Amino acid sequence: MCTVAFFAFLRCSEFTCNTGRQSDLSLCIGDIIVQSNDKVIIHLKVSKTDPFRHGVSIPLFATHQNVCPVVILRQILKLRRACKAIASDPLFMDYNGKPITRHMFVRDLKVLLERIGLNSQDYNSHSFRIGAATSASSAGLGEHLIRTLGRWSSDCYMRYIRTPDCILQQAQSSLCHN
């Protein structure tokens, strides 16, 4: 879930269910279209920036790295289909077969963060959009591309980008040279 949320710049509400029950708007197995070994489309039936509910399609491409959203989604689909899941079943479920809710996701995320020694209070359900925007900026991606990847229609994406202390320190040091 984390890898998909990060690479697709997803809002928590776009990949979790509001309640413990599947709804017509939840992300389902049928919303994932494998186009090739290197490309998968996530179709969101509803999104914050889609007020007329036409849906939005998010292409994800293979990274050919250790972390790859295409490989992970293909593995999830294979596992879910082996369990006799159908297209209208939720994509992400817990061990009891219930759709993952926002509460469950955040709770489990915080447990995982604590286990690896990170302060879970520094993270929330929006951390994947923040992390994706920050990583995109750090990688030198241009404004237009960051806005496109995150489906932002305004410059509010800039609020998501976090600047590391080392960059701020370097910027302040460069002020002394002028």
Side-chain angles (χ1 to χ4, degrees), residues 1-7 9-12 15 105 109 123-134 160:
M1 287 180 77
C2 297
T3 300
V4 173
F6 176 81
F7 281 97
F9 287 66
L10 294 177
R11 295 169 181 88
C12 196
F15 65 93
F105 177 74
L109 175 64
Y123 299 87
N124 61 43
S125 62
H126 241 51
S127 293
F128 294 97
R129 277 180 71 77
I130 292 168
T134 300
Y160 288 77

Side-chain angles (χ1 to χ4, degrees), residues 22-177:
Q22 180 74 356
S23 82
D24 292 342
L25 301 177
S26 300
L27 187 61
C28 299
I29 290 172
D31 296 324
I32 308 303
I33 300 112
V34 178
Q35 288 200 326
S36 70
N37 286 339
D38 290 331
K39 184 180 180 185
V40 172
I41 303 289
I42 297 176
H43 180 75
L44 301 178
K45 293 182 258 321
V46 63
S47 178
K48 183 179 175 181
T49 56
D50 178 31
F52 301 109
R53 304 229 173 157
H54 295 294
V56 62
S57 293
I58 303 168
L60 291 176
F61 297 90
T63 63
H64 304 289
Q65 303 294 318
N66 290 333
V67 180
C68 178
V70 171
V71 169
I72 288 173
L73 277 170
R74 293 180 76 214
Q75 288 173 343
I76 290 169
L77 289 175
K78 182 178 178 182
L79 177 65
R80 299 284 288 117
R81 289 181 179 136
C83 295
K84 308 291 185 221
I86 59 174
S88 60
D89 286 341
L91 180 64
F92 298 117
M93 297 176 53
D94 70 6
Y95 292 109
N96 298 318
K98 293 184 180 182
I100 301 291
T101 64
R102 173 189 219 100
H103 172 75
M104 294 164 66
F105 177 74
V106 172
R107 179 198 64 209
D108 292 348
L109 175 64
K110 289 187 177 284
V111 168
L112 289 171
L113 291 167
E114 293 289 339
R115 284 186 183 165
I116 63 172
L118 295 173
N119 182 356
S120 65
Q121 298 304 312
D122 294 339
Y123 299 87
N124 61 43
S125 62
H126 241 51
S127 293
F128 294 97
R129 277 180 71 77
I130 292 168
T134 300
S135 295
S137 178
S138 294
L141 300 185
E143 173 185 322
H144 173 73
L145 196 49
I146 295 171
R147 284 176 59 172
T148 299
L149 289 168
R151 302 175 321 278
W152 282 289
S153 57
S154 69
D155 63 357
C156 70
Y157 77 93
M158 294 190 306
R159 292 183 293 156
Y160 288 77
I161 298 172
R162 304 297 190 260
T163 305
D165 283 347
C166 63
I167 300 296
L168 296 174
Q169 179 184 17
Q170 185 180 17
Q172 290 175 356
S173 292
S174 69
L175 295 174
C176 295
H177 300 295

